[in-house]
Every structure is written in C-alpha cells, then in structure tokens.
Amino acid sequence: MNYLDVLKSTKNVMTPGSSACQGCGGELITRRVMQIAGENSVYAIPPGCMAGAGVDGWNFSNGCSAPIHITLLDNTASFMSGVSEMYQRRGRTDVNIVAIAGDGATADCGFQSLSGAAERGTKMLYICYDNEGYMNTGYQRSSTTSLGSSTSTTPAGAAINGKEQQQKYLPLIMAMHEVEYCAAASPSNMPDLVRKIQKGLEAGKRGFAYLHVFSPCPTGWKFAPDQSIEVGKKAVASNMFPIWEKENGQFKVTVNRNPISVAEFVKGIGKFSKLTADEIDAIQEMVDRRYQTLLHLAGE
C-alpha cells in the first residue's frame, strides 16, 4: 500500500484544529504519526510546541481521540517505560506505546531517561521532532541548534555571532544504542516518513525504536510559513539533515549524488542571516564529515 492509500484509509486521531503556528513542521509530523499509529495507542507529549499547541488538550477537552499524557520535560521515556511495562504484563501487546517530543526534551533535559529506555530495549516508539531549539518559550538554543543560529539566548550581535558550537547529532548517538530500529526522516519526503513511522511502530513491539524528524520552524527560524516543505527539501538536499535508517544492524542512507551547498540551504532563513563566510565553511566541513561517516557505516 503506497503512502497516499495509507493516509486515505486511516483516521485523523489529532483534533482538526490546533494552535500551532502556520507552517509548523512539528504539527504535520505529530498529525501523521497519530494518524498512522491510530487510536489503539497511548501517547505522551512533554512540555513544548506540541503540548502548547493543544495536542494533549485544552482545559478538560482532549486534543486527540486516544489516551494521551503530558509528561515532564525530562521524564518522557521513563514515564512511557512504565506504561509499556504495564501493558506488557497485562498481555496487551497490540497497543502502540508512542512518545512525541521536541529536541529540548530529547537531546537535553530528557536524554538520561531516553538513553536508559533505549539501553533497556523498552518496547516503544520515541519520535523527536527537531526544530533546533526551545521554540515554545521563545526560541532558546538547544544542543541540536546549528552553529551560528541567532536565538534568544545566542543573539547575533557584538558579543557573539549566534550559537558558538556545532549541533549535537542525536540520531547517530541513538543508533549506537543498538536499538531495534533507528531512522532520520523529513516531512518534505512524506512517502519516506510514512514508511519509517510504520517500521518504527512495528519495531516498537519488539524493542526500542527511535525516529528523528526534521521539523522546520517558520516562527523561530524566520522564514515564510509557506516555505516549510521547501526548507525541509533543502535541508535534505544539502546533507544538513541526511535521511537514513538502521535496521537489523544495517545502515541504509538515501544517497545525495549532487548535494547543494550549505550556503544555498541557509539563504532566506533569518536565523542564519548573520553567518560569516568562515562559519558557513565550518558548517560545510562538519556536514561533509558527518555524511561521509554515514556513508561509511552504510558501506557506500
């Protein structure tokens, strides 16, 4: 069944309306995950953009038609480990255990519990929508924020020229936990994203599955809302966000034979508007090195 048939034949579990920003990558990702996982699932969303957008409810109204919990910023994976164990003990192995969290709650505050759940092989699917910052509270930098990004805590100015460190590459860190399934995806390639969500749900019945999804943010990154998919395409095309998966111990990389440059990717994105030529070169060097590492792991 192709991805269009999958989407046509599944129910929209998330409420038709939300208070997410126009063009929000995280909203599209969350909606697709819930649509494919369905109502026979238990979801967790920590504080962040999707919790703030009302996916887990407003006041006493639920934001989706399946059980959903708002966890703490740092305990999503451990919380859902307990939920998973409870369902396993009751013999309810058909229920999907799904966590959906931003990069702050994943790479920073929640990394300890995430790493622990991955190491234990807890049966669940954990999805990170990576918009490279704490967007729900005004765009503070996170460890996945790209070098030179102007954020509210790393403003480009006289003292510093945006974030001074390269981003943490969390997907590969998670792959090294030897989890059941690990993949990187983008909403700009919906067939690939749908397939990886399906694989992640299947793998999550056998052990820990992790999906890291690029989540362009028009509000924080300062680009037009109708450009979100285009930004996602350029991120993949430039290898700023390569898409790949690790399944049955084998890496598979979607190979870019003629990648565009980092300089081309950052054009028109406000958070990168103050990048210097040296910073662009440093990002390009990091991107090339990381991509070669992935190709080497895949045997390309």
Side-chain angles (χ1 to χ4, degrees):
M1 186 182 295
N2 68 41
Y3 85 102
L4 286 175
D5 291 333
V6 171
L7 298 181
K8 288 177 182 178
S9 63
T10 48
K11 179 181 177 181
N12 197 344
V13 175
M14 185 174 151
T15 182
S18 77
S19 61
C21 302
Q22 289 184 333
C24 173
E27 192 269 353
L28 177 58
I29 294 161
T30 302
R31 190 174 295 279
R32 288 294 171 260
V33 169
M34 289 186 167
Q35 184 176 356
I36 296 166
E39 294 179 320
N40 190 33
S41 306
V42 177
Y43 299 98
I45 297 181
C49 288
M50 290 303 96
V55 175
D56 46 12
W58 300 270
N59 299 321
F60 296 102
S61 298
N62 201 347
C64 72
S65 58
I68 187 167
H69 304 271
I70 181 167
T71 59
L72 300 177
L73 198 61
D74 58 356
N75 77 340
T76 304
S78 56
F79 180 97
M80 292 304 273
S81 292
V83 172
S84 177
E85 183 65 24
M86 181 271 291
Y87 275 98
Q88 298 301 316
R89 291 190 180 191
R90 293 187 177 188
R92 294 288 306 278
T93 56
D94 60 314
V95 177
N96 298 310
I97 309 300
V98 183
I100 305 169
D103 50 283
T106 303
D108 298 338
C109 303
F111 183 72
Q112 181 183 30
S113 64
L114 173 65
S115 178
E119 186 271 334
R120 291 190 301 271
T122 301
K123 294 179 179 178
M124 62 183 290
L125 170 60
Y126 188 108
I127 296 116
C128 173
Y129 60 95
D130 185 1
N131 51 31
E132 296 192 8
Y134 293 82
M135 300 301 180
N136 189 53
T137 49
Y139 190 14
Q140 296 83 26
R141 61 89 90 190
S142 78
S143 60
T144 70
T145 305
S146 299
L147 173 73
S149 296
S150 183
T151 77
S152 62
T153 49
T154 60
I160 59 172
N161 195 49
K163 189 189 175 199
E164 298 179 292
Q165 300 82 23
Q166 296 277 13
Q167 64 181 180
K168 177 194 290 186
Y169 192 55
L170 188 61
L172 194 53
I173 295 172
M174 295 309 299
M176 293 300 106
H177 283 70
E178 297 299 332
V179 295
E180 192 71 25
Y181 181 73
C182 183
S186 170
S188 63
N189 188 333
M190 190 56 66
D192 181 75
L193 176 59
V194 168
R195 180 179 63 83
K196 286 172 177 173
I197 293 170
Q198 292 174 313
K199 283 190 173 186
L201 289 167
E202 293 171 3
K205 299 289 178 55
R206 304 188 300 270
F208 191 91
Y210 179 80
L211 186 56
H212 197 100
V213 190
F214 184 71
S215 181
C217 174
T219 305
W221 293 18
K222 296 181 174 60
F223 62 82
D226 63 358
Q227 292 298 302
S228 291
I229 297 301
E230 187 63 26
V231 169
K233 288 179 179 178
K234 285 185 175 181
V236 174
S238 64
N239 292 328
M240 278 290 290
F241 194 91
I243 53 179
W244 54 271
E245 63 187 340
K246 185 185 181 187
E247 185 178 23
N248 299 322
Q250 299 297 313
F251 281 86
K252 300 174 186 175
V253 178
T254 300
V255 179
N256 271 332
R257 299 298 179 190
N258 298 294
I260 65 173
S261 66
V262 167
E264 179 65 25
F265 166 69
V266 301
K267 283 181 182 177
I269 301 177
K271 75 167 185 172
F272 292 125
S273 62
K274 302 297 183 181
L275 282 177
T276 66
D278 286 344
E279 287 171 331
I280 291 176
D281 288 344
I283 297 171
Q284 185 71 67
E285 181 182 352
M286 179 274 294
V287 165
D288 293 342
R289 184 171 62 250
R290 183 173 64 191
Y291 188 59
Q292 288 303 314
T293 297
L294 290 170
L295 291 180
H296 178 74
L297 289 168
E300 293 285 346

